[in-house]
């Protein structure tokens, strides 16, 4: 059995056992941090230009990945170890209209920076962590042992594994927090020409999302551009919003929130409970321990470390 298949089997078994376990609704709900930073993605403002994808690759030193379809919109079609952010296209019918169920829409996928992240709670070596001030979820690649627990635990299927690497690690969007030190913001937001990807304090983004839901569809309004704190705006037509904010409550809330004219499930976003997934994550971890799966994975991790040290 190939190492890749072995690890896939391990993770799959863990999921099968864990999904049958109930979510621990009694767990205390964690509040959003006062200084939490995040992104408001508004699909109704998104023109599918993919500038954010290019900016993301540039800011994170990721290579070009050829697409697997001939459609321009789908290059590449999924997140991977070399693609941290993707714009996908939804097509629901014959209509050429944007932001309606039988027409089309775009949707952006990357890490949601959960308020109570399951990936952090399940990581056995604390390679993933949540910044106590900004709430951004980052990972320490030196600490990661490649066990992929975070992949199993993430309700949004975000962390990706470097299958192609001799020493694979997990990768995911870190909100470009390495740019914050240079007083810069997330590259996808700084480069987005329409304000569809908007950076800022989550409290401000949430208020802005709620304001948009009150706007009159069909009229025109000013929408903040790049960073909500700068006051820069663009004037655009107001779409008929689906009256929900994705990420307001899903799995205890997320710091990346979304608006759309099309229902979120049709855009491929999972329907999730309001309770955090950390209870599920812990169940997965206990399952792995109980089924002696952890030692197997730990062995793989250990073998990896030994191999790496031998090489060095
Ligand atoms: S979306 Fe997934 S990877 Fe991102 S913080 Fe939440 S659990 Fe972690
Ligand atoms: S915040 Fe940075 S890493 Fe995350 S999707 Fe945007 S550009 Fe990519
Ligand atoms: S840069 Fe902005 S408008 Fe263009 S695809 Fe990305 S989110 Fe949409």
């Amino acid at each position: 059995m190939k190492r890749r298949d072995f690890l896939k089997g391990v993770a799959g078994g863990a999921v099968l056992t864990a999904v049958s376990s109930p979510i621990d609704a009694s767990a205390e709900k964690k509040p959003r941090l006062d200084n939490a930073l995040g992104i408001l993605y508004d699909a109704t403002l998104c023109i599918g230009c993919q500038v954010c994808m290019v900016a993301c690759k540039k800011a994170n030193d990721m290579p070009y990945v050829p697409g697997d379809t001939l459609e321009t919109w789908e290059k590449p079609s999924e997140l991977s170890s070399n693609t941290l952010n993707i714009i996908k296209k939804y097509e629901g019918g014959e209509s050429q209209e944007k932001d309606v169920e039988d027409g089309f829409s775009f949707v952006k996928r990357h890490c949601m920076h959960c308020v109570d992240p399951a990936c952090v709670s399940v990581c056995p070596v604390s390679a993933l962590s949540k910044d106590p001030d900004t709430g951004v979820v980052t990972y320490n690649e030196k600490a990661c042992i490649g066990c992929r627990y975070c992949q199993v635990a993430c309700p949004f299927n975000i962390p990706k594994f470097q299958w192609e690497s001799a020493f694979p690690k997990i990768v995911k969007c870190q909100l470009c927090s390495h740019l914050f030190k240079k007083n810069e913001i997330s590259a996808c937001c700084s480069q987005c020409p329409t304000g569809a990807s908007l950076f800022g304090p989550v409290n401000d983004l949430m208020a802005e999302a709620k304001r948009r839901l009150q706007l009159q569809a069909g009229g025109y309004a000013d929408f903040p551009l790049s960073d909500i704190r700068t006051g820069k705006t663009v004037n655009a037509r107001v779409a008929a919003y689906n009256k929900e904010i994705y990420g307001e409550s899903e799995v205890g809330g997320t710091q990346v929130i979304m608006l759309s004219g099309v229902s979120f499930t049709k855009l491929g976003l999972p329907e999730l409970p309001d309770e955090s997934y950390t209870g599920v994550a812990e169940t997965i971890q206990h399952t792995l321990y109980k089924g002696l799966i952890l030692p197997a994975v730990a062995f793989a991790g250990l073998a990896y470390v030994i191999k790496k040290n031998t090489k060095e």
Side-chain angles (χ1 to χ4, degrees), residues 109-121 128-130 135-138 150-151 153-160 170-173 251 253-256 277:
R109 300 303 310 273
H110 53 70
C111 175
M112 301 292 284
H113 296 276
C114 302
V115 169
D116 191 8
C119 60
V120 170
S121 86
L128 284 141
S129 59
K130 184 169 177 72
V136 174
V137 179
T138 57
C150 54
Q151 266 196 308
C154 174
F156 300 100
N157 188 23
I158 297 298
K160 298 297 168 211
I170 282 294
V171 287
K172 69 164 201 76
C173 154
V251 285
T254 57
Q255 293 183 200
V256 171
Y277 255 39

Side-chain angles (χ1 to χ4, degrees), residues 9-10 20 22 44 50 75 83 114 127 141 170 189 239 245 258 285:
V10 164
S20 59
T44 74
Q50 302 183 355
K75 282 192 174 193
T83 302
C114 302
E141 70 171 81
I170 282 294
C189 298
I245 303 171
M258 297 193 190
Q285 206 175 30

Side-chain angles (χ1 to χ4, degrees), residues 227-269:
D227 182 340
I228 197 167
R229 297 166 296 191
T230 63
K232 273 192 281 178
T233 59
V234 283
N235 194 263
R237 191 164 176 272
V238 180
Y241 284 104
N242 164 21
K243 300 284 183 198
E244 283 172 63
I245 303 171
Y246 191 85
E248 184 174 19
S249 60
E250 280 76 9
V251 285
T254 57
Q255 293 183 200
V256 171
I257 55 175
M258 297 193 190
L259 291 175
S260 163
V262 173
S263 64
F264 295 113
T265 42
K266 289 200 170 161
L267 295 184
L269 291 157

Side-chain angles (χ1 to χ4, degrees), residues 36-292:
L37 292 173
I39 291 175
L40 166 59
Y41 170 72
D42 186 334
T44 74
L45 294 177
C46 181
I47 54 172
C49 64
Q50 302 183 355
V51 164
C52 54
M53 287 180 63
V54 176
C56 179
K57 283 193 175 278
K58 212 169 153 194
N60 293 284
D61 209 14
M62 295 258 157
Y64 163 74
V65 179
D68 47 16
T69 75
L70 293 176
E71 279 201 55
T72 317
W73 305 122
E74 298 285 358
K75 282 192 174 193
S77 58
E78 298 297 339
L79 294 176
S80 73
S81 59
N82 288 315
T83 302
L84 307 180
N85 159 36
I86 191 147
I87 295 290
K88 294 172 81 90
K89 190 180 182 189
Y90 157 85
E91 284 170 302
E94 296 301 307
S95 170
Q96 296 299 305
E97 211 180 320
K98 186 169 173 284
D99 306 314
V100 294
E101 306 266 326
D102 64 344
F104 73 100
S105 173
F106 299 104
V107 61
K108 185 172 181 244
R109 300 303 310 273
H110 53 70
C111 175
M112 301 292 284
H113 296 276
C114 302
V115 169
D116 191 8
C119 60
V120 170
S121 86
V122 81
C123 180
V125 293
S126 302
L128 284 141
S129 59
K130 184 169 177 72
D131 186 279
D133 185 36
T134 64
V136 174
V137 179
T138 57
Y139 61 89
N140 175 355
E141 70 171 81
K142 288 195 180 118
C144 177
I145 56 168
C147 67
R148 300 173 61 225
Y149 280 16
C150 54
Q151 266 196 308
V152 177
C154 174
F156 300 100
N157 188 23
I158 297 298
K160 298 297 168 211
F161 196 57
Q162 296 170 320
W163 291 110
E164 68 287 357
S165 165
F167 306 112
K169 301 283 174 70
I170 282 294
V171 287
K172 69 164 201 76
C173 154
Q174 304 189 87
L175 212 76
C176 287
S177 50
H178 64 292
L179 299 178
F180 298 173
K181 294 174 207 117
K182 298 192 267 176
N183 274 333
E184 291 176 29
I185 61 165
S186 306
C188 54
C189 298
S190 68
Q191 299 302 310
C192 176
T194 66
S197 281
L198 179 67
F199 182 84
V202 180
N203 288 339
D204 296 354
L205 296 176
M206 193 62 80
E208 170 63 12
K210 287 179 178 163
R211 177 188 78 95
R212 292 182 192 185
L213 296 188
Q214 300 304 317
L215 295 173
Q216 191 63 45
Y220 279 79
D222 288 336
F223 294 91
L225 192 64
S226 303
D227 182 340
I228 197 167
R229 297 166 296 191
T230 63
K232 273 192 281 178
T233 59
V234 283
N235 194 263
R237 191 164 176 272
V238 180
Y241 284 104
N242 164 21
K243 300 284 183 198
E244 283 172 63
I245 303 171
Y246 191 85
E248 184 174 19
S249 60
E250 280 76 9
V251 285
T254 57
Q255 293 183 200
V256 171
I257 55 175
M258 297 193 190
L259 291 175
S260 163
V262 173
S263 64
F264 295 113
T265 42
K266 289 200 170 161
L267 295 184
L269 291 157
E271 227 174 311
L272 295 166
D274 289 355
E275 290 79 27
S276 142
Y277 255 39
T278 50
V280 172
E282 276 151 25
T283 305
I284 290 171
Q285 206 175 30
H286 293 157
T287 305
L288 293 171
Y289 273 105
K290 215 161 87 186
L292 290 181

